[in-house]
C-alpha cells in the first residue's frame, strides 16, 4: 500500500494523467503540482490536441498552478512528472522557481540532463526514478504501437 502524501502516491496520480493522455492520442506524459500535500494542478500532454509543440504536461501544470495560487513563482511546490522534463520544460520550471521536481523515468534523448542540470533554478531540488518502471513502460508501449 502506498503512503498518502508520498512521492509514490503523487507519481501514481501523474501516471493516471499519462494514461488519460494516451487514451486521447497524446504522448503519455502526466504532470501534477503539489503544494502543502494538496494537488493544485494537473495536466497531460496536449501537443496533438492543441496542435501546439509547447503544450507539454509540465508547462500546462505549471501554468495551472500559478493561476490557482495567483502567483507566478512556485517555490513551495513540487512538480511530479512521469518523464524527465525536456529543456523547454526545465526552463519553464526555472522561471517558476519550483521548489522541487520529481520525475519517473529518464529521457536519454531529450531530457534536460542530457544538456545540463544547471538549467534548473538554484534552489530547485530533483528526485528521479520514482515509479521508473511504470513510467518507462507506458512510454515504450506507446512508441512501440506507433512504430508498428
Amino acid at each position: 500500500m502506498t503512503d498518502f502524501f508520498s512521492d509514490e502516491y503523487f507519481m501514481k496520480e501523474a501516471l493516471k494523467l499519462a494514461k488519460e493522455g494516451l487514451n486521447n492520442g497524446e504522448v503519455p506524459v502526466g504532470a501534477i503540482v503539489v503544494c502543502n500535500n494538496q494537488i493544485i494542478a494537473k495536466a497531460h500532454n496536449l501537443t496533438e490536441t492543441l496542435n501546439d509543440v509547447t503544450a507539454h504536461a509540465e508547462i500546462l501544470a505549471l501554468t495551472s498552478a500559478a493561476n490557482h495560487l495567483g502567483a507566478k513563482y512556485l517555490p513551495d511546490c513540487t512538480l511530479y512528472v512521469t518523464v524527465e522534463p525536456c529543456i523547454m520544460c526545465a526552463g519553464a520550471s526555472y522561471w517558476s522557481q519550483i521548489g522541487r521536481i520529481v520525475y519517473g523515468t529518464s529521457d536519454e534523448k531529450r531530457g534536460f540532463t542530457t544538456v545540463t542540470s544547471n538549467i534548473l533554478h538554484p534552489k530547485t531540488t530533483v528526485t528521479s526514478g520514482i515509479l521508473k518502471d511504470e513510467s518507462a513502460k507506458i512510454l515504450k508501449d506507446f512508441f512501440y504501437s506507433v512504430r508498428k
Side-chain angles (χ1 to χ4, degrees):
M1 185 171 155
T2 304
D3 290 334
F4 211 52
F5 306 134
S6 68
D7 287 342
E8 290 80 11
Y9 170 80
F10 289 121
M11 189 60 72
K12 283 183 181 179
E13 294 301 307
L15 278 164
K16 288 178 188 176
L17 291 164
K19 290 174 185 170
E20 186 179 319
L22 175 68
N23 292 336
N24 291 318
E26 299 285 349
V27 175
V29 177
I32 63 170
V33 177
V34 174
C35 193
N36 297 319
N37 289 325
Q38 180 181 357
I39 298 171
I40 62 167
K42 49 185 164 179
H44 60 73
N45 275 3
L46 287 174
T47 58
E48 299 300 323
T49 302
L50 298 177
N51 197 34
D52 178 355
V53 296
T54 68
H56 290 199
E58 302 95 309
I59 300 283
L60 299 171
L62 290 170
T63 299
S64 181
N67 287 333
H68 176 83
L69 294 175
K72 61 184 176 180
Y73 301 120
L74 307 170
D76 299 322
C77 298
T78 300
L79 171 68
Y80 289 87
V81 60
T82 56
V83 181
E84 176 185 354
C86 70
I87 228 37
M88 174 184 69
C89 294
S93 76
Y94 175 93
W95 290 108
S96 75
Q97 299 180 19
I98 194 88
R100 184 171 177 236
I101 297 173
V102 178
Y103 66 86
T105 191
S106 297
D107 184 343
E108 293 85 21
K109 292 182 180 177
R110 294 183 182 89
F112 74 92
T113 58
T114 63
V115 178
T116 180
S117 59
N118 291 333
I119 193 166
L120 301 178
H121 192 275
K123 293 182 180 178
T124 300
T125 61
V126 177
T127 302
S128 62
I130 303 298
L131 300 182
K132 175 184 178 179
D133 294 339
E134 295 91 330
S135 296
K137 182 176 179 355
I138 192 170
L139 272 176
K140 286 178 185 174
D141 290 350
F142 170 78
F143 286 113
Y144 176 78
S145 70
V146 167
R147 290 182 187 109
K148 266 179 93 172

